[in-house]
Amino acid sequence: MSMLGIAARFGMGAATVLTMSLLPVAPAGADTYSAVIQGVVFSDDNGNGVRDNSEMRLPVVPGQVLLEGGFYGGQFSVGIWDDPYGDHNGGWDAEFIFDELPAGTYQVEFEPYYECQFTTPNPVEVRVERGRTHTLNFGVRCATGVIEGAVFEDDNKDGLFGNREYELSTPVRVFRDGVQVASRRGRFLVEELMPGTYTVRADVPAGYVATTTTSRTVTIRTGDRIERLRFGFQRTPSVSVAASPTKLVHGNSTTVTGRILRGSTALSGKAVRLQVRHTTQDPWRDVAQVTSDRDGRFSFAVKPSRNLQYRWSFVGDTTTVPGSSSLVSVTVEQRVTATLSTTSMSVGRTATLDGKVSPAHAGQPVVLQQNVNGIWRKVAETKLSSTSTYRFRLSPTRAGTYTYRVVRPADADHALGTSPTRKLTVR
């Protein structure tokens, strides 16, 4: 049995090589040598076995077709030509032609040298008659696609991989039909991809915010190279917060301070907002906006009327992604005043201890305590008036020095408030 062999290589730098053999199934005989077998190898991107208008022909290189036996009784070399119109100059082309063949039945077969899938029958039996041309197309899907790109630290938040910006060693995953087919890091190169639609997804590094999309969908045909996929991330600014003091009496002030950095670099000229809320169930609201100095520092004085939580929030700008601090809690004690009507009196007389609680807690209890041998003991209790004032009457029955104070218990809004101590001498 005689054999016709041909080698074909796809373009775009692909390493795919196909071998085509024409095997006469029946002796050709001495018929006139005018039969032709021609066709193309095409990238069957959708895998339907039909060459659609959008599917490209794959270039091939010159090779040999060997014919043995039959009328010839020897070996002859037949080329693959780069000109389908008959110039026969040799070279690359997307069309193969076997002309001046004896009439007969041949078997045409491609043997893939690289990973390819055939979407049309292979081998194919072909019957050609004298003076007739038979057209034969071979559809293939070959693993020659490439996806190239990088994950980078986008210092200026412009979405472009600049000369002074660096790669980030964060995972990049490639999926096809929901199944992961590759994983890379940093500057990535994924090769030997079959035609199809792929999703390329970059993981968001801890402590970073994306400045570009984190997922791209690309369609690959045989020989395609998808280049310069870029995934940018910027380190979230580090924003600190502190308050001094963190516990104060109602009516006093505290200063909330902070600093904004990216890594170890101070960020100057950034507009930072001081935000406040009462409990974790409440939304944050803005109190003030300040600008960071050249050392990245800022501060603001506040006078809270109840227990509050504070934080600094940077909403981001054209060059820096947003960032927020943790929270600092400031506890506000109720202010309790206490005034004795007299500091000295005789046994059998009565003194009064008057005062006020701020902020107002009308109708709420206050407790009179006396220090006995170093221990504060409850003596009496009353409720605050509509103006948040109180009065206790003191009538000791024995001579001595009595030490008193008034306590307003803590509630959801305020810490416990304690008046200054007051001493009453009874003679």
Side-chain angles (χ1 to χ4, degrees):
M1 177 180 294
S2 62
M3 176 177 180
L4 294 168
I6 177 173
R9 181 181 297 271
F10 295 159
M12 302 297 291
T16 302
V17 176
L18 300 179
T19 301
M20 190 186 82
S21 302
L22 270 67
L23 306 176
V25 177
D31 207 345
T32 304
Y33 311 124
S34 57
V36 176
I37 298 175
Q38 66 179 17
V40 298
V41 179
F42 68 95
S43 174
D44 193 2
D45 297 326
N46 58 15
N48 65 356
V50 178
R51 181 170 176 262
D52 303 319
N53 292 334
S54 62
E55 294 173 334
M56 67 179 181
R57 301 190 301 180
L58 300 176
V60 295
V61 295
Q64 286 186 328
V65 178
L66 302 179
L67 179 63
E68 297 179 356
F71 177 80
Y72 290 102
Q75 292 186 347
F76 295 86
S77 176
V78 181
I80 295 179
W81 311 105
D82 64 350
D83 186 351
Y85 301 102
D87 290 343
H88 290 189
N89 294 321
W92 293 69
D93 191 60
E95 186 176 37
F96 59 85
I97 300 176
F98 304 95
D99 53 9
E100 300 180 2
L101 295 175
T105 301
Y106 297 88
Q107 179 175 282
V108 184
E109 180 179 4
F110 279 86
E111 297 178 357
Y113 177 75
Y114 201 69
E115 182 185 354
C116 291
Q117 299 173 352
F118 287 90
T119 62
T120 57
N122 181 54
V124 179
E125 187 174 282
V126 178
R127 171 73 181 179
V128 290
E129 300 178 356
R130 181 178 58 184
R132 297 294 182 90
T133 298
H134 184 91
T135 300
L136 176 65
N137 294 335
F138 287 90
V140 294
R141 291 163 58 85
C142 295
T144 56
V146 175
I147 297 176
E148 176 272 331
V151 183
F152 67 99
E153 184 159 358
D154 193 1
D155 284 336
N156 58 7
K157 195 189 165 188
D158 67 352
L160 303 176
F161 193 177
N163 292 333
R164 296 185 179 181
E165 294 173 333
Y166 302 95
E167 299 173 21
L168 288 175
S169 182
T170 190
V172 178
R173 309 176 198 278
V174 181
F175 298 85
R176 182 180 180 188
D177 298 328
V179 178
Q180 182 173 313
V181 297
S183 178
R184 301 288 189 272
R185 285 181 177 272
R187 190 180 294 274
F188 58 90
L189 178 67
V190 183
E191 301 177 291
E192 302 179 9
L193 295 173
M194 295 293 290
T197 299
Y198 294 84
T199 298
V200 185
R201 188 177 305 148
D203 291 359
V204 180
Y208 283 78
V209 173
T211 60
T212 65
T213 179
T214 59
S215 181
R216 292 280 301 275
T217 299
V218 296
T219 299
I220 289 182
R221 301 182 302 172
T222 296
D224 276 355
R225 185 181 183 95
I226 307 299
E227 298 180 314
R228 300 184 66 79
L229 290 187
R230 299 292 185 259
F231 299 101
F233 299 93
Q234 188 181 91
R235 188 189 301 272
T236 304
S238 168
V239 185
S240 63
V241 65
S244 181
T246 57
K247 188 173 185 179
L248 53 85
V249 177
H250 181 266
N252 292 340
S253 298
T254 184
T255 299
V256 185
T257 58
R259 192 182 188 195
I260 183 169
L261 305 168
R262 187 163 66 231
S264 59
T265 303
L267 299 180
S268 63
K270 300 299 181 182
V272 187
R273 299 177 183 179
L274 179 62
Q275 297 182 321
V276 67
R277 69 182 182 187
H278 177 41
T279 68
T280 54
Q281 287 73 41
D282 298 322
W284 290 102
R285 59 182 179 85
D286 292 344
V287 173
Q289 179 171 296
V290 296
T291 302
S292 60
D293 62 20
R294 64 180 183 179
D295 198 32
R297 300 183 185 277
F298 38 85
S299 64
F300 192 79
V302 291
K303 186 183 290 186
S305 61
R306 59 178 177 169
N307 301 337
L308 292 173
Q309 299 171 348
Y310 292 93
R311 76 171 184 182
W312 293 104
S313 176
F314 172 61
V315 297
D317 56 24
T318 57
T319 61
T320 308
V321 297
S324 295
S325 72
S326 57
L327 63 87
V328 61
S329 295
V330 176
T331 302
V332 178
E333 297 179 0
Q334 298 165 89
R335 182 180 293 275
V336 183
T337 64
T339 303
L340 278 171
S341 60
T342 182
T343 60
S344 179
M345 67 180 188
S346 301
V347 173
R349 303 293 297 271
T350 299
T352 59
L353 181 62
D354 298 278
K356 185 175 185 179
V357 174
S358 299
H361 282 77
Q364 298 302 308
V366 287
V367 177
L368 175 65
Q369 293 180 339
Q370 179 184 347
N371 192 310
V372 180
N373 299 322
I375 299 175
W376 288 102
R377 299 183 184 277
K378 179 178 177 180
V379 175
E381 180 177 319
T382 190
K383 290 186 178 181
L384 294 169
S385 69
S386 60
T387 57
S388 197
T389 61
Y390 67 86
R391 169 170 286 184
F392 288 104
R393 296 184 180 277
L394 309 175
S395 302
T397 59
R398 296 180 181 179
T401 299
Y402 296 83
T403 303
Y404 297 100
R405 73 178 184 182
V406 177
V407 175
R408 163 70 192 127
D411 56 26
D413 293 332
H414 300 89
L416 176 145
T418 304
S419 75
T421 59
R422 296 293 183 244
K423 290 186 178 183
L424 175 62
T425 301
V426 179
R427 303 184 300 276

